[in-house]
Amino acid sequence: MKINEIKRRDFFKIVGKGAVSAVAISQPALANAITPSNVSLPSDYKTVDSPLDATEMANLVRNKKVTPKELVQEAIYKIRQTNGEVNAVVSECFDIALERANSFNPNSPFAGVPFLAKDCVDVVGLECTMGSKLNKGRRPKSTSWFIRAAQNAGLNTIGMTNIPEMMTLGCTQNPLYGATRNPWDLRKGVHSSTGGGAAAVGAGYVPLVHSTDGGGSSRMPASAMGIFGYKPSRELLITGLANGSTNEDFTHQSFMSRTVRDTALALSVTEDHTKNRFEHAFPRTAIGMVNTPLNRQIKIGVTMKDIHGRLPDEDTTAAIRSTVELLEGLGHIVVEVAQPVKDGEAFMYNYMGVFGNKMASLAEQFDSKGIPLESMSDQVSKNVTYLARTMQARLKSHPNLYIDSKANCHHFAVAHNLDFFNTIDVWLTPCSNHIPQEIGYFDQQAHSGEEIWTRSEKLMSYTPIENVAGNPAMSVPLYWNKDSLPVGSHFSAARGNDRLLLELAYQLENANPWAGRKAPIAL
């Protein structure tokens, strides 16, 4: 069967009658989890039209009901049908993926399941541009350690997903590839820098994607897409840098997926088991494979105001209130807690002093060549130029900006972990200040670089806290507004408590299933 001829119904014919029961993804046993009397947990709430997750795809391969090549063919068919509208996948290696499909060990965790990487990580056979015209045509000669670990676990990389230019925007669009549109409403964008990956899952191309998170990019896009997004504790997973360095500052490699169990499995196979820094303020805590829901009562603090003291929009407020009701129905203690960041401007100054340091270097690099960024408007956007010049000016007035900012961030991380989380187990906040806006909200041609950055900072006014602290955090899709747009709830915990968050995610998934929801454009 040729790729362009394969359709969803044909795929299930290939898989056979066993697919109907296979698609009914079984959740982990409740294991005596606290359950409200008004929450019904049917043993089989899936239908034949519900999307397969990566775990079940791998099970089908192991049971010889489908081949990895057929899984890749279906993914290619879907991408070719709707990616022209969504613009999630920007680089592809379909031929390579089809060629290596049946070389995967069927007993590996993912057994050849198709997978998409983010256009900021090196993968042999794929162009990596960082969403910038400056890098157009760049093809790395080696694959990053993180992606190699994912591929060794059976994930078959078939392409790259769209990101903002140099990952500097609060919305996924750039002058090279254009804007990624939200599969739930094509008039709207997708939050933050892994928007292409989130949209790929939302559009049904693949069930699991690579993400990175330097300020919320595994969580904000997931919130906008009605999928599960996770940021692990700092240095828990294998590095994403091609040279093997673990100096990624606030950035974390991670995944977004349709189900909790897919991300839990992906985390377990990319966990870094070689770390030896035992003398550390935050000793590393291994998590292994988490596959059971929470079965005890915990104390959850909730905060509505962001780091600048602002409340979110109505839909986001409604989502968090709905989640609080669900948590209380599950028997948890929910209390209101004050925003731990007392000075939002100072916090962002220190955050950018570390995270934005490379932007100052970019300006210096081209200045030294006599080619200022302003003279390259055909290759570098106003947004990037503005941010680079802003950081360059800060560095000139504050030569020790990076060192001082890193020290201030470490001081905050210690207090946040040891004091703030001393009275609560988990913290609940909005994922972002507002739901996705019309695609023109972040239009770099219509707005100045300063305005674009102001809008980006407003959007990401909750999630960077846990990047600075190095803590695990997740977006859980528990609410859809009246226009059927998803709004995620943001949970975090003290560094090393990844297992606690994943167990809570399983419990919430059991209580309020979301995996069967499909965006209108999804095939």
Side-chain angles (χ1 to χ4, degrees):
M1 180 177 292
K2 294 180 180 179
I3 295 169
N4 286 331
E5 293 175 355
I6 193 166
K7 298 180 179 179
R8 184 69 172 169
R9 60 179 180 273
D10 297 324
F11 178 69
F12 282 107
K13 288 178 182 177
I14 293 171
V15 174
K17 294 181 180 179
V20 177
S21 59
V23 176
I25 302 169
S26 57
Q27 299 293 330
L30 285 178
N32 300 317
I34 303 167
T35 307
S37 58
N38 64 335
V39 174
S40 175
L41 298 179
S43 59
D44 183 359
Y45 55 79
K46 291 283 183 178
T47 70
V48 69
D49 294 322
S50 298
L52 292 166
D53 72 347
T55 303
E56 197 57 46
M57 284 185 180
N59 286 338
L60 290 173
V61 171
R62 279 187 282 274
N63 290 325
K64 302 186 187 311
K65 294 182 180 295
V66 68
T67 68
K69 186 174 183 178
E70 288 166 342
L71 294 176
V72 173
Q73 285 176 324
E74 189 200 18
I76 294 170
Y77 169 76
K78 290 178 176 179
I79 291 169
R80 288 181 174 170
Q81 289 297 110
T82 64
N83 191 56
E85 297 172 86
V86 178
N87 193 31
V89 181
V90 294
S91 180
E92 60 187 50
C93 57
F94 294 160
D95 290 342
I96 295 174
L98 286 168
E99 189 175 317
R100 70 184 170 208
N102 291 324
S103 65
F104 285 94
N105 182 346
N107 293 307
S108 62
F110 288 107
V113 169
F115 177 68
L116 288 163
K118 184 176 177 179
D119 186 21
C120 65
V121 66
D122 287 355
V123 183
V124 170
L126 282 166
E127 189 174 356
C128 181
T129 69
M130 289 284 289
S132 170
K133 288 184 176 180
L134 293 175
N135 291 325
K136 180 64 178 171
R138 177 183 174 271
R139 290 186 175 273
K141 296 182 180 179
S142 61
T143 299
S144 78
W145 289 16
F146 187 83
I147 299 300
R148 285 165 63 187
Q151 291 179 164
N152 286 346
L155 290 170
N156 189 356
T157 308
I158 64 173
M160 286 278 198
T161 58
N162 203 17
I163 65 173
E165 183 183 13
M166 299 185 190
M167 295 191 288
T168 55
L169 274 184
C171 187
T172 299
Q173 52 184 273
N174 59 65
L176 177 59
Y177 295 121
T180 292
R181 294 180 178 269
N182 194 317
W184 291 92
D185 184 344
L186 293 174
R187 297 169 300 177
K188 300 183 183 295
V190 186
H191 292 333
S192 199
S193 76
T194 322
V201 177
Y205 301 156
V206 294
L208 175 76
V209 293
H210 164 245
S211 66
T212 66
D213 192 316
S217 294
S218 290
R219 295 161 284 159
M220 289 192 289
S223 171
M225 205 51 54
I227 62 176
F228 182 64
Y230 194 81
K231 182 195 84 67
S233 291
R234 185 175 299 156
E235 295 189 342
L236 177 70
L237 304 185
I238 293 169
T239 177
L241 299 179
N243 63 4
S245 169
T246 59
N247 184 26
E248 296 185 88
D249 287 325
F250 297 151
T251 298
H252 302 66
Q253 303 297 313
S254 194
F255 302 92
M256 293 184 293
S257 62
R258 187 170 295 280
T259 60
V260 176
R261 67 178 184 177
D262 276 2
T263 288
L265 179 58
L267 293 174
S268 74
V269 298
T270 54
E271 190 170 358
D272 188 349
H273 297 286
T274 64
K275 299 298 292 182
N276 59 4
R277 293 176 60 195
F278 296 106
E279 302 302 325
H280 194 273
F282 303 102
R284 180 182 173 280
T285 303
I287 58 169
M289 177 59 194
V290 183
N291 56 14
T292 56
L294 193 64
N295 62 358
R296 60 187 174 87
Q297 183 185 75
I298 61 172
K299 187 175 181 180
I300 300 172
V302 60
T303 304
M304 293 298 292
K305 290 183 177 180
D306 68 8
I307 62 174
H308 301 292
R310 299 172 301 207
L311 290 171
D313 65 8
E314 289 184 13
D315 287 324
T316 305
T317 299
I320 301 304
R321 287 176 177 167
S322 174
T323 297
V324 168
E325 291 181 8
L326 176 61
L327 292 166
E328 290 178 335
L330 287 166
H332 299 304
I333 299 171
V334 183
V335 297
E336 189 173 349
V337 296
Q339 169 63 247
V341 174
K342 307 306 179 186
D343 186 337
E345 287 190 12
F347 177 88
M348 288 304 295
Y349 181 88
N350 287 313
Y351 166 77
M352 288 303 294
V354 177
F355 190 68
N357 182 63
K358 292 175 183 174
M359 297 307 295
S361 299
L362 178 72
E364 292 288 347
Q365 175 187 349
F366 284 98
D367 284 347
S368 67
K369 295 179 180 179
I371 315 173
L373 295 176
E374 290 81 358
S375 69
M376 303 166 61
S377 57
D378 60 327
Q379 291 185 286
V380 181
S381 72
K382 292 181 294 184
N383 173 69
V384 167
T385 298
Y386 168 78
L387 191 55
R389 289 300 184 202
T390 299
M391 293 310 303
Q392 184 184 42
R394 287 185 187 181
L395 189 60
K396 285 182 178 179
S397 64
H398 188 169
N400 290 325
L401 178 63
Y402 180 80
I403 295 173
D404 291 345
S405 293
K406 199 158 189 177
N408 290 335
C409 287
H410 178 73
H411 178 75
F412 174 84
V414 172
H416 189 58
N417 276 280
L418 302 184
D419 297 335
F420 181 76
F421 278 107
N422 187 44
T423 58
I424 58 174
D425 299 301
V426 169
W427 188 29
L428 167 65
T429 72
C431 247
S432 55
N433 188 268
H434 55 78
I435 65 172
Q437 305 294 302
E438 300 292 321
I439 204 76
Y441 183 76
F442 281 105
D443 188 339
Q444 293 162 281
Q445 298 301 316
H447 307 291
S448 67
E450 182 177 9
E451 178 62 22
I452 289 288
W453 180 245
T454 298
R455 294 183 178 193
S456 296
E457 273 202 331
K458 180 181 180 181
L459 180 70
M460 52 182 284
S461 53
Y462 296 93
T463 50
I465 295 172
E466 306 307 356
N467 292 86
V468 169
N471 293 3
M474 63 186 183
S475 175
V476 185
L478 300 171
Y479 183 85
W480 271 253
N481 72 3
K482 66 181 187 310
D483 297 319
S484 298
L485 286 176
V487 185
S489 292
H490 184 245
F491 296 89
S492 58
R495 195 184 301 189
N497 285 346
D498 297 72
R499 175 171 287 272
L500 171 63
L501 281 190
L502 290 170
E503 288 178 346
L504 175 61
Y506 274 126
Q507 187 185 39
L508 293 169
E509 186 180 35
N510 278 327
N512 189 18
W514 62 77
R517 288 180 175 264
K518 293 173 63 176
I521 202 172
L523 298 176

